[in-house]
Amino acid sequence: MTGAGRAGSSGSALRVAAVDLGATSGRIMAGTVSARSLHLEEVHRFPNGGVRVRDGLFWDVLGIHREVLSGIRRVAETGPLHGIGIDSWAIDYGLLDRDGTLLGNPYSHRDARTDGVAAKVAATVDPARLYATTGLQDLPFSTLYQLVAAQGTAALESAEHLLLLPDLLAYWLTGTIGVERTNASTTALYDLTTGDWARDLMGDLGLPWSILPPLREPGSIIGPVLAEVGRHAGIPRRVPVVAVGSHDTASAVVGVPAATDRFAYISSGTWSLVGLELDAPVLTEAARRADFTNEGGVDGTVRFLKNVMGLWVLSECLRTWADQRVEGTGLVALLAAAEDAPALRTVVDINDPRLLPPGDMPSRIRELAAEAGEPVPQTPVQVTRCVLDSLALAYRRHLRTALELAGRGVDGVDGVDVVHVVGGGSQNHLLCQLTADATGLPVLAGPSEAAALGNVLVQARALLREQGSADLADLAEMRALIRRTHELHRFEPTPTTRGGADWDAAEGRLGG
């Protein structure tokens, strides 16, 4: 059967396309959901990355759109298609003019145009007020800072609408303008306490708040695919596009297979997001000074977390070694060798801003080690072990801080029992073991495609609700289905590390 059949009729399965876009690759998954089954199949994958033009770093968003259409078409060609959902990384946006035409390629958040902008904003808006309004970690490349950097440009002066990337792609499919709430909450343009755009804040900074479109709830139906789009792209019968948790971390947290609320999570990929799922934001001065972020989650939850540089650092090391034709630097071989390398020999501040842009990452790691008085890693194996030890050390520090700020404790009645690692990093067994050792908690790793699973499940619930079904009614039911259908790997803290003395010493060497 091909085309768009009736979703879920007579107990049949729903089949949807989950568009899951990362900063280094994109994938389109066919997700099939019933009351007792949940299956993902990758039908299309494509490379992604910033494109440098003169002195700017941009996204090839038209190329991304082409690949998205190709992937959706492949889903439709191989079975029924009942819905489409799109998630991606946060913060980056496109501007539309009054005719709905894109005003140039969107900038990458790794572009240098926001250098120094945070200080400029702080001179106008007290950082304490900014945090009390947005609840966000002070990332130097947020949407707010990008817009301040764009002041005076022809594009911003001509803009009628700002759309975050998943919403831009959904607009091209449906013709409907709006921004999904979980992604809006990452922009520093959103008032977490009122649940609306922070128009006063934008006004104080001289930004045109009128370009901010209506907000959408995750799980709402955006609209059907436009007839002309479907005709050209081979997408049948006006399939509905669903607003999922369009920030990929929001979808990934839906995909955390937690059995209770006593869990922490690490969404591990290009970025690592280390945090807790809460019912309300933590907007204290202590949370601001610790630079923790509060982002909106599905079903009114709050993702209280810290952004950590993530496996981007290792992937850039691999790319550099490949460009330099260094032998023996395949990922599998490096991880195997790194497992036998001395533990915690060298650690660095993995969140140092010098690790943000692309470039010769091994040299930067060596520079940071030398500055910190650490043994300088010389070989690819030593660099790899340094990156993984440093990531695990950051996870330990930020998880402990999150628990303290949220009024919880690892060993207390309100603590957590397990750390769930989801995303691509869940397949890095060395990093998962180091995370268990560093935190002193068991780690449950998987699923690796948590964002796509969360995307699929929110779509399925929205479509079922359209039919009057109460299946997949809440996050607990969604997560139970993942536990029943997906294998997880458990990592226990190594007995010799349970006391944490080695990790304490390593943290002390970095001044933690």
Side-chain angles (χ1 to χ4, degrees):
M1 175 181 177
T2 60
R6 176 169 171 75
S9 57
S10 303
S12 62
L14 287 160
R15 189 167 182 269
V16 300
V19 178
D20 179 32
L21 303 175
T24 57
S25 69
R27 62 210 65 84
I28 291 82
M29 316 287 283
T32 306
V33 189
S34 71
R36 294 177 180 169
S37 66
L38 174 59
H39 177 70
L40 274 182
E41 178 188 1
E42 183 181 298
V43 298
H44 185 53
R45 180 181 287 263
F46 60 93
N48 192 25
V51 179
R52 190 159 295 283
V53 180
R54 295 175 61 188
D55 59 349
L57 190 64
F58 299 88
W59 297 111
D60 178 15
V61 71
L62 292 177
I64 294 171
H65 178 60
R66 179 187 62 242
E67 298 290 352
V68 166
L69 292 177
S70 178
I72 296 171
R73 181 171 61 249
R74 292 187 187 184
V75 177
E77 289 171 347
T78 54
L81 176 60
H82 300 126
I84 300 165
I86 305 171
D87 68 76
S88 86
W89 67 96
I91 292 173
D92 294 332
Y93 62 89
L95 297 173
L96 304 180
D97 68 13
R98 64 184 181 184
D99 296 323
T101 302
L102 183 66
L103 290 163
N105 282 312
Y107 275 92
S108 166
H109 56 275
R110 297 187 189 276
D111 183 78
R113 68 180 180 146
T114 55
D115 290 354
V117 171
K120 178 181 177 181
V121 169
T124 302
V125 177
D126 188 311
R129 175 194 168 198
L130 186 62
Y131 191 81
T133 302
T134 68
L136 293 184
Q137 177 180 354
D138 188 21
L139 295 173
F141 46 77
S142 70
T143 314
L144 172 67
Y145 295 150
Q146 290 194 45
L147 285 177
V148 171
Q151 283 178 314
T153 63
L156 186 57
E157 290 178 354
S158 302
E160 191 76 13
H161 301 288
L162 177 149
L163 292 179
L164 300 173
L165 289 188
D167 303 299
L168 176 61
L169 296 169
Y171 166 69
W172 284 336
L173 288 175
T174 66
T176 302
I177 286 175
V179 169
E180 187 274 321
R181 193 177 295 276
T182 69
N183 216 357
S185 73
T186 71
T187 62
L189 306 171
Y190 179 83
D191 190 325
L192 197 65
T193 59
T194 67
D196 201 355
W197 294 114
R199 294 181 177 87
D200 290 347
L201 180 66
M202 292 191 69
D204 290 347
L205 290 168
L207 296 173
W209 58 262
S210 61
I211 67 175
L212 299 175
L215 291 161
R216 298 178 177 132
E217 297 296 332
S220 60
I221 305 293
I222 297 173
V225 171
L226 293 168
E228 59 269 28
V229 174
R231 187 166 55 251
H232 290 298
I235 303 172
R237 294 174 59 179
R238 295 173 63 81
V239 175
V241 178
V242 179
V244 297
S246 66
H247 182 204
D248 52 9
T249 307
S251 279
V253 174
V254 172
V256 170
T260 73
D261 61 358
R262 292 173 58 86
F263 73 95
Y265 61 82
I266 300 172
S267 179
S268 179
T270 302
W271 287 95
S272 290
L273 296 310
V274 182
L276 306 171
E277 184 175 75
L278 302 178
D279 294 328
V282 180
L283 299 175
T284 62
E285 178 64 11
R288 182 182 77 83
R289 291 190 178 278
D291 210 22
F292 264 70
T293 206
N294 297 267
E295 295 173 352
V298 172
D299 288 1
T301 56
V302 172
R303 293 174 284 131
F304 183 58
L305 57 85
K306 183 81 168 185
N307 282 272
V308 179
M309 200 68 72
L311 287 168
W312 155 259
V313 179
L314 183 57
S315 67
E316 272 296 283
C317 287
L318 295 173
R319 186 195 60 76
T320 299
W321 291 323
D323 289 347
Q324 296 172 352
R325 301 183 183 277
V326 178
E327 294 185 3
T329 55
L331 179 59
V332 173
L334 279 174
L335 291 178
E339 189 169 356
D340 295 326
L344 299 171
R345 172 183 181 268
T346 303
V347 290
V348 299
D349 178 5
I350 205 69
N351 256 15
D352 189 286
R354 284 170 286 185
L355 302 181
L356 178 65
D360 185 352
M361 202 64 74
S363 294
R364 296 177 190 168
I365 293 292
R366 287 190 285 269
E367 178 185 343
L368 290 176
E371 289 180 4
E374 293 282 291
V376 176
Q378 299 297 335
T379 69
V381 171
Q382 290 174 343
V383 170
T384 299
R385 183 64 193 236
C386 169
V387 169
L388 297 181
D389 280 345
S390 300
L391 277 171
L393 189 65
Y395 298 164
R396 165 192 170 92
R397 180 171 63 255
H398 297 317
L399 176 55
R400 290 186 169 195
T401 303
L403 289 164
E404 179 182 348
L405 293 170
R408 302 166 68 170
V410 173
D411 299 319
V413 66
D414 294 323
V416 297
D417 300 323
V418 65
V419 178
H420 283 274
V421 177
V422 298
S426 67
Q427 297 176 308
N428 188 322
H429 288 186
L430 176 55
L431 179 57
C432 290
Q433 183 60 59
L434 292 173
T435 301
D437 293 343
T439 62
L441 289 165
V443 165
L444 280 179
S448 61
E449 296 291 356
L453 287 169
N455 180 322
V456 165
L457 288 168
V458 171
Q459 284 193 69
R461 181 174 67 174
L463 297 171
L464 288 167
R465 282 179 173 174
E466 286 285 294
Q467 300 172 9
S469 171
D471 288 344
L472 300 176
D474 56 23
L475 290 172
E477 286 192 21
M478 296 181 192
R479 289 166 174 165
L481 183 57
I482 295 174
R483 291 197 304 278
R484 291 196 300 270
T485 56
H486 286 73
E487 182 181 5
L488 307 178
H489 296 278
R490 188 179 182 93
F491 298 84
E492 294 286 348
T494 305
T496 56
T497 67
R498 287 186 188 275
D502 291 344
W503 292 94
D504 285 340
E507 193 161 343
R509 280 159 33 203
L510 291 183

